[in-house]
Amino acid sequence: MRNALQCVIAAVATGAVLASIPYWGGDDFPLMGLIVYVAGMVFVAMPLCLYYESLLQSHEERVARARHTLAT
């Protein structure tokens, strides 16, 4: 899951860079690159981060429960 999250973040960043290429060397701000980056991070990467965090928390709870069971 961690690798998938890193790949998604890299893909969003690459998409933002590609969207800003036409603006390189000009005086205009690459607004489309910013839009792609923000939308990708908010709508794609952030839900994946939250899902990954919930997986980690449930794993920690299972480990703690197993340790408690073994201790008694």
Side-chain angles (χ1 to χ4, degrees):
M1 182 66 190
R2 180 184 321 161
N3 292 334
L5 180 60
Q6 290 172 345
C7 288
V8 166
I9 291 172
V12 168
T14 302
V17 168
L18 292 176
S20 67
I21 286 176
Y23 300 98
W24 291 357
D27 293 334
D28 295 335
F29 184 78
L31 186 61
M32 191 51 137
L34 181 63
I35 291 170
V36 168
Y37 184 76
V38 170
M41 288 299 170
V42 170
F43 295 113
V44 178
M46 186 58 67
L48 282 176
C49 286
L50 294 173
Y51 178 65
Y52 182 59
E53 184 176 348
S54 70
L55 286 176
L56 289 175
Q57 287 177 350
S58 66
H59 176 70
E60 288 175 359
E61 289 172 1
R62 277 187 267 134
V63 168
R65 213 174 318 127
R67 286 185 181 157
H68 177 71
T69 304
L70 289 175
T72 56

